[in-house]
């Protein structure tokens, strides 16, 4: 099997794997919709008190909320994607088996995570987003070109998200436990991606800092591309630069970690 077909098969396998958890998917749809309602009414009150906060109109803020709920599981912003399994395989020593496979470790997990992301977008993200668009006034584009630009930004966001979590997961080679890593992923993901509040609304130096971190490529930039607040090419350049830098860093860390693998208990 050619390498392209192999990684495509891995991605399809990742999609099918998550598609089997139908009850969990339905619960996720309900949870994202419920949290979306809570956030929407919070944002409506906030934007009523502070019109134009972060350069957004109220309808744009509402759009941002529902896009965030649609992408929450898609981008594993709070963690809970492939990295959980990878950290456990490192902890137990099963990673040694993975390293013997005639495939690229990073590309294998990337393909797997892309399949998971596609399912989470379709299975868990579309319903809350459509619900929000039907019930609340939103600022969605009416032209196909903008939606196409958004999908490209979303694909790059998936790659950046993977690269961040891959680096975090590899740290378990030295830490030997993934609980602290998972908690760090949760905190940084929720705060730095703009899931809690749009990064445009962060004040002063804090806002300037979080907007240049890689987490900004996950939610903030795709949202701005969708709502016409960011030029697509500039967004792609930012996301692409972080994707390349983080994937390269992952390669270096992987090489350092696997140069001498010690399997616990053997």
């Amino acid at each position: 099997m050619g390498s392209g077909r192999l990684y495509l098969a891995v991605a399809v396998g990742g999609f099918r794997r998550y598609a089997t958890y139908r009850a969990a998917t339905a619960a996720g749809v309900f949870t994202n919709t419920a949290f979306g309602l809570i956030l929407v009414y919070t944002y409506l009150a906030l934007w009523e008190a502070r019109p134009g906060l972060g350069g957004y109109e109220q309808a744009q803020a509402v759009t941002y909320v529902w896009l965030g709920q649609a992408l929450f599981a898609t981008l594993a912003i709070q963690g809970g994607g492939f990295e959980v399994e990878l950290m456990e395989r490192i902890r137990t020593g099963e990673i040694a088996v993975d390293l013997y496979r005639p495939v690229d470790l990073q590309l294998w997990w990337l393909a797997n995570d892309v399949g998971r992301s596609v399912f989470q977008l379709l299975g868990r993200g579309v319903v809350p987003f459509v619900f929000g668009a039907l019930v609340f006034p939103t600022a969605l584009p009416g032209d196909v070109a903008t939606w196409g630009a958004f999908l490209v930004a979303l694909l790059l966001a998936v790659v950046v998200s993977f690269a961040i979590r891959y680096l975090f997961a590899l740290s378990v080679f030295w830490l030997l436990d993934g609980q602290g890593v998972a908690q760090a992923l949760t905190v940084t993901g929720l705060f730095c991606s703009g899931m809690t509040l749009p990064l445009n609304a962060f004040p002063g130096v804090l806002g300037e800092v979080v907007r240049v971190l890689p987490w900004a490529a996950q939610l903030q930039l795709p949202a701005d591309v969708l709502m016409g607040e960011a030029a697509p090419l500039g967004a792609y350049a930012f996301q692409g630069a972080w994707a390349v830098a983080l994937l390269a860093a992952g390669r270096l860390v992987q090489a350092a970690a696997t140069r001498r693998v010690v399997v616990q208990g053997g």
Side-chain angles (χ1 to χ4, degrees), residues 39-75:
L39 284 173
V40 159
Y41 284 111
T42 302
Y43 274 38
L44 288 174
L46 180 59
W47 259 260
E48 188 71 27
R50 293 284 303 276
L53 179 64
Y56 284 167
E57 298 299 326
Q58 198 173 66
Q60 291 177 308
V62 171
T63 304
Y64 186 92
V65 168
W66 291 112
L67 183 61
Q69 293 307 304
L71 300 185
F72 183 77
T74 302
L75 300 177

Side-chain angles (χ1 to χ4, degrees), residues 123-206:
R124 183 170 169 174
V126 170
V127 172
F129 187 77
V130 171
F131 171 83
L134 293 175
V135 176
F136 297 92
T138 54
L140 296 176
D143 59 296
V144 176
T146 302
W147 283 102
F150 164 72
L151 290 178
V152 174
L154 178 56
L155 176 61
L156 290 170
V158 169
V159 177
V160 172
S161 172
F162 164 82
I164 292 172
R165 290 177 287 123
Y166 191 71
L167 273 174
F168 270 77
L170 291 179
S171 67
V172 177
F173 272 108
W174 292 273
L175 299 176
L176 304 182
D177 185 82
Q179 293 185 0
V181 175
Q183 292 175 0
L185 269 173
T186 298
V187 173
T188 54
L190 290 176
F191 184 81
C192 297
S193 69
M195 178 59 68
T196 305
L197 189 69
L199 301 182
N200 294 343
F202 281 40
V205 176
L206 176 61

